[in-house]
Amino acid sequence: METNYFEKERYERAKKRVQRITGFYSHLLVYVVINLMIVVVNVQRLDPGESYFQWQNFTTLFFWGIGLLAHGLSVFMPYIVLGKNWEERKIKELMEKERKSKWE
């Protein structure tokens, strides 16, 4: 019965992780599509001989990019820094400490 509980917990954690990754990729897709649309609109509005490379043409790309980077780091960074199974190892470690402290 306890094994079934742990399997369910692992499944729920994996499901949440997949949802977070899916959310990031959705965010990335919207970022790319919207910024491409902004580029097209900005290019169409250029005067003859005017350069596209002006700061106002890149503000949305830049600031939204910072938000996208933060989103990506929140999704992927813990696993890069701490390792793949860090959460599971830490949970087992804390449960083992709790079990030992109850018997002492």
Side-chain angles (χ1 to χ4, degrees):
M1 183 170 170
E2 210 170 293
T3 305
N4 191 22
Y5 173 77
F6 289 125
E7 286 298 316
K8 187 175 180 180
E9 284 292 314
R10 286 178 49 204
Y11 173 79
E12 290 300 320
R13 280 197 312 266
K15 184 178 176 181
K16 286 179 185 179
R17 174 135 170 79
V18 167
Q19 289 172 341
R20 290 182 56 167
I21 292 170
T22 303
F24 171 74
Y25 285 131
S26 297
H27 187 182
L28 178 62
L29 178 64
V30 170
Y31 173 81
V32 169
V33 169
I34 297 298
N35 279 292
L36 283 174
M37 289 171 43
I38 290 172
V39 167
V40 169
V41 169
N42 287 341
V43 167
Q44 289 175 346
R45 291 183 175 179
L46 286 177
D47 293 328
E50 186 179 15
S51 173
Y52 179 78
F53 297 101
Q54 301 171 36
W55 69 270
Q56 64 266 25
N57 291 337
F58 296 98
T59 54
T60 303
L61 181 78
F62 178 74
F63 289 110
W64 190 357
I66 291 172
L68 182 64
L69 177 65
H71 188 178
L73 290 176
S74 75
V75 171
F76 296 109
M77 190 60 138
Y79 296 93
I80 293 170
V81 173
L82 301 173
K84 287 184 179 179
N85 297 322
W86 179 83
E87 274 186 19
E88 192 169 329
R89 289 191 316 263
K90 194 63 175 177
I91 289 169
K92 286 179 182 177
E93 175 188 327
L94 293 174
M95 288 174 64
E96 185 65 23
K97 282 182 183 179
E98 183 178 327
R99 185 183 67 77
K100 285 182 181 179
S101 67
K102 283 184 179 180
W103 294 104
E104 291 177 5

